[in-house]
Amino acid sequence: MSISPNDLCFMAFTMVDRHGDNAAVLAGQAVDEMRALGDEPRTSAWLALQSVIEDALDGRIQRDQGLSLH
């Protein structure tokens, strides 16, 4: 199963809505946990989500602006 850019955007803004600035910290903790378990696919997914969360928190993306991945 793959995660689309729109899925990432939705999840990122959901985390930001629920956790504010702490959303990036929580995503980082999930990255660390997945890495410790040796789960590379989930580590990669959480890294991508963490990046989008940081972009949302820093105002580089807006909720209604679609994402494109490069």
Side-chain angles (χ1 to χ4, degrees), residues 1-2 5 9 23-24 28 30 33 36 39-40 43-44 46 51 54 56 61:
M1 181 162 119
S2 63
C9 192
E33 289 174 18
D39 191 333
E40 287 307 314
T43 299
S44 295
W46 276 103
S51 176
E54 290 169 353
I61 61 169

Side-chain angles (χ1 to χ4, degrees), residues 35-55:
R35 210 174 255 148
L37 293 171
D39 191 333
E40 287 307 314
R42 286 190 175 112
T43 299
S44 295
W46 276 103
L47 282 168
L49 182 56
Q50 183 181 29
S51 176
V52 178
I53 288 169
E54 290 169 353
D55 285 346

Side-chain angles (χ1 to χ4, degrees), residues 13 16 21 51-63 65:
F13 278 101
V16 168
D21 291 343
S51 176
V52 178
I53 288 169
E54 290 169 353
D55 285 346
L57 289 170
D58 291 341
R60 288 188 294 270
I61 61 169
Q62 302 301 314
R63 185 182 306 269
Q65 138 192 9

Side-chain angles (χ1 to χ4, degrees), residues 7-20 23 63:
D7 293 336
L8 279 174
C9 192
F10 176 79
M11 289 185 287
F13 278 101
T14 298
M15 292 215 30
V16 168
D17 290 344
R18 291 185 181 175
H19 305 289
R63 185 182 306 269

